[in-house]
């Protein structure tokens, strides 16, 4: 029995490793991904049931709940209950009896307990302690399920302890694995954000701006490119110093966030030059947006580091067209910005025809 349980735990460990890779895979289809993770984890639980060890022709001993531990570590609530449901449906396929009812109650108690452990705030960044708590809860419920289905006998108690003695270390190994995978993925995300973010303003940098242009070009949508340049910014630096100039840039970026939508792409593409990519707005609509941004900036009270207030203005060039012509649109927006500057600054200029 011991050898079979160890083999079962190795199967669990291998399956959970592959599921963890899927959990950490980046995708835009989050709902589909969560559903797939839940189904896959449930199938792993079913496979572990089929590989389980039959105790006294009554109790099936396996590590189906280890799949729930994995989902629990990543705090995925809907996949957790999808997996529990899949496992329970399969368990009831053997017949509706006391043993199957106890087994299914145990699975959902583990899932509910995992969600409750999520709510312990002090565990939020303590990954090892969080994993230990998940494993302890799952082992406790599994032990009582085996003990109950074994008829509360001494031998059932011993089998429950045997299962816990094997599954708890395996669960800890899974926790260690997930901590490593999680931290590696976090570092990758941090490096990516760092490489694509302008550290002064928090907007996308020029590299990220160009990458987004390439991606957006393939989507064949109507879009608008706005190039913005703060008027007489060199004078601000010369008069108030570069530290105050940086402060103005930060506040300028905050205004762009406030005046645009979340999915609009905003970037600092030069010293005082910014770019915005706004999809799915017509020629007249984008002019209204650009004018709103220009007016908001001209009316805003920009605070210097010593709390003094200054006012600035911005010139904006706009190109409106199809995303497959983005490179040409960027050049047109630059030309329009140049015209806005030559027209006295603090104004907006747009290309007259859709590209």
């Amino acid at each position: 029995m011991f050898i079979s349980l160890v083999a079962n735990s190795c199967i669990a460990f291998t399956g959970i490793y592959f599921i963890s890779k899927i959990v950490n895979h980046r995708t835009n289809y989050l709902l589909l991904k969560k559903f797939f993770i839940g189904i896959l984890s449930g199938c792993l639980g079913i496979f572990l049931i089929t590989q389980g060890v039959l105790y006294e022709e009554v109790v099936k001993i396996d590590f189906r709940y280890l799949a729930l531990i994995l989902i629990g570590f990543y705090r995925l609530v809907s996949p957790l209950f999808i997996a529990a449901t899949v496992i329970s449906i399969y368990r009831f396929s053997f017949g509706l009896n006391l043993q199957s009812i106890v087994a299914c109650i145990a699975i959902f108690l583990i899932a509910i307990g995992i969600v409750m452990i999520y709510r312990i705030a002090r565990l939020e960044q303590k990954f090892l302690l969080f994993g230990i708590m998940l494993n302890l809860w799952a082992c406790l419920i599994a032990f009582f399920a085996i003990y109950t289905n074994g008829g509360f006998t001494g031998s059932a108690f011993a089998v429950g302890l045997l299962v816990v003695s094997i599954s708890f270390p395996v669960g800890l190994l899974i926790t260690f694995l997930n901590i490593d995978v999680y931290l590696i993925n976090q570092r990758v995300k941090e490096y990516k954000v760092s490489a694509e973010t302008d550290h002064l303003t928090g907007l996308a940098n020029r590299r990220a701006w160009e990458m987004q242009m390439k991606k957006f070009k393939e989507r064949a949508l109507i879009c608008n490119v706005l190039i913005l340049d703060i008027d007489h910014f060199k004078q601000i630096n010369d008069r108030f110093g570069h530290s105050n100039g940086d402060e103005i840039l930060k506040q300028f970026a905050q205004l762009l966030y406030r005046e645009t939508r979340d999915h609009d792409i905003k970037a600092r593409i030069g010293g005082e030059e910014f770019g915005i990519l706004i999809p799915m707005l017509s020629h007249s609509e984008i002019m209204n947006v650009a004018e709103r941004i220009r007016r908001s900036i001209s009316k805003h009270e920009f605070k210097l580091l010593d709390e003094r207030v200054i006012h600035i203005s911005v010139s904006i060039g706009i190109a409106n067209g199809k995303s497959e012509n983005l490179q040409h649109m960027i050049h047109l927006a630059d030309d329009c910005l140049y015209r806005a500057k030559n027209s006295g600054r603090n104004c907006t200029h747009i290309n007259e025809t859709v590209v």
Side-chain angles (χ1 to χ4, degrees):
M1 182 193 297
F2 181 80
I3 299 298
S4 298
L5 290 176
V6 171
N8 202 1
S9 65
C10 290
I11 294 170
F13 188 81
T14 303
I16 285 168
Y17 173 77
F18 285 111
I19 294 174
S20 70
K21 301 295 283 185
I22 296 171
V23 170
N24 287 287
H25 177 70
R26 294 184 65 188
T27 178
N28 294 325
Y29 304 101
L30 293 179
L31 290 177
L32 184 61
K33 177 183 174 181
K34 288 181 179 181
F35 179 77
F36 182 67
I37 290 169
I39 294 295
L40 197 59
S41 299
C43 290
L44 175 61
I46 290 172
F47 184 74
L48 292 171
I49 291 174
T50 64
Q51 299 300 309
V53 178
L54 194 62
Y55 166 67
E56 291 187 354
E57 304 299 325
V58 176
V59 180
K60 190 90 170 190
I61 303 168
D62 56 67
F63 299 111
R64 70 191 77 172
Y65 58 86
L66 288 178
L68 303 184
I69 295 296
L70 166 70
I71 304 175
F73 181 84
Y74 288 101
R75 300 172 181 266
L76 301 173
V77 176
S78 53
L80 180 66
F81 285 96
I82 290 172
T85 302
V86 170
I87 293 170
S88 297
I89 290 172
Y90 178 78
R91 184 62 184 84
F92 277 124
S93 68
F94 290 101
L96 182 61
N97 50 46
L98 178 61
Q99 285 75 26
S100 61
I101 292 172
V102 169
C104 292
I105 290 174
I107 283 292
F108 278 98
L109 280 177
I110 290 172
I112 293 168
I114 287 172
V115 174
M116 296 303 294
I117 294 171
Y118 291 167
R119 300 177 182 275
I120 303 176
R122 73 182 80 177
L123 298 178
E124 190 165 343
Q125 293 300 320
K126 297 180 180 178
F127 302 118
L128 180 57
L129 184 58
F130 178 61
I132 290 173
M133 291 287 290
L134 295 180
N135 280 286
L136 282 175
W137 173 253
C139 286
L140 180 67
I141 298 300
F143 171 82
F144 279 107
I146 293 170
Y147 189 45
T148 301
N149 280 342
F152 302 100
T153 62
S155 58
F157 185 87
V159 170
L161 287 180
L162 176 62
V163 171
V164 169
S165 67
I166 296 174
S167 61
F168 186 71
V170 172
L172 286 183
L173 285 174
I174 291 169
T175 298
F176 287 129
L177 169 69
N178 286 319
I179 289 173
D180 285 341
V181 172
Y182 177 81
L183 292 178
I184 289 170
N185 278 279
Q186 285 298 107
R187 291 191 188 101
V188 169
K189 290 176 184 177
E190 288 169 5
Y191 293 149
K192 187 176 187 299
V193 169
S194 178
E196 297 179 0
T197 301
D198 176 66
H199 298 290
L200 178 64
T201 63
L203 301 177
N205 59 20
R206 190 176 190 92
R207 175 176 178 271
W209 169 259
E210 291 173 352
M211 289 172 61
Q212 290 290 347
M213 294 300 104
K214 290 178 182 177
K215 291 179 182 177
F216 206 84
K217 188 176 179 180
E218 301 170 358
R219 298 174 63 182
L221 298 173
I222 293 294
C223 64
N224 303 275
V225 175
L226 283 68
I227 305 295
L228 304 87
D229 190 89
I230 299 175
D231 297 327
H232 303 297
F233 187 73
K234 185 178 183 300
Q235 294 179 15
I236 296 173
N237 275 334
D238 292 343
R239 181 179 176 186
F240 302 108
H242 288 279
S243 294
N244 278 311
D246 289 346
E247 183 62 27
I248 297 301
L249 291 174
K250 291 178 187 177
Q251 294 176 40
F252 184 88
Q254 291 170 2
L255 274 175
L256 292 187
Y257 268 117
R258 191 181 75 187
E259 297 295 339
T260 55
R261 302 167 299 184
D262 289 342
H263 63 271
D264 296 333
I265 299 166
K266 300 164 280 287
R268 182 186 178 199
I269 56 180
E272 67 273 17
E273 190 173 347
F274 295 79
I276 310 176
L277 177 64
I278 301 180
M280 304 306 293
L281 290 183
S282 67
H283 191 282
S284 59
E285 288 172 331
I286 195 60
M287 265 306 282
N288 290 334
V289 170
E291 277 296 296
R292 188 185 70 234
I293 293 173
R294 186 191 61 78
R295 288 193 299 269
S296 176
I297 290 167
S298 63
K299 292 177 182 178
H300 186 74
E301 294 184 344
F302 288 83
K303 288 187 177 180
L304 302 178
L305 295 173
D306 60 3
E307 298 299 320
R308 283 183 294 171
V309 172
I310 66 170
H311 288 85
I312 67 172
S313 63
V314 66
S315 300
I316 306 175
I318 312 168
N320 173 257
K322 297 179 181 178
S323 58
E324 57 259 37
N325 300 319
L326 263 176
Q327 288 304 120
H328 183 45
M329 289 171 63
I330 291 171
H331 292 305
L332 282 176
D334 274 325
D335 290 342
C336 290
L337 174 63
Y338 182 75
R339 293 176 197 170
K341 290 285 188 182
N342 287 340
S343 300
R345 295 182 169 83
N346 191 24
C347 63
T348 300
H349 201 285
I350 188 170
N351 67 303
E352 295 303 323
T353 57
V354 176
V355 182

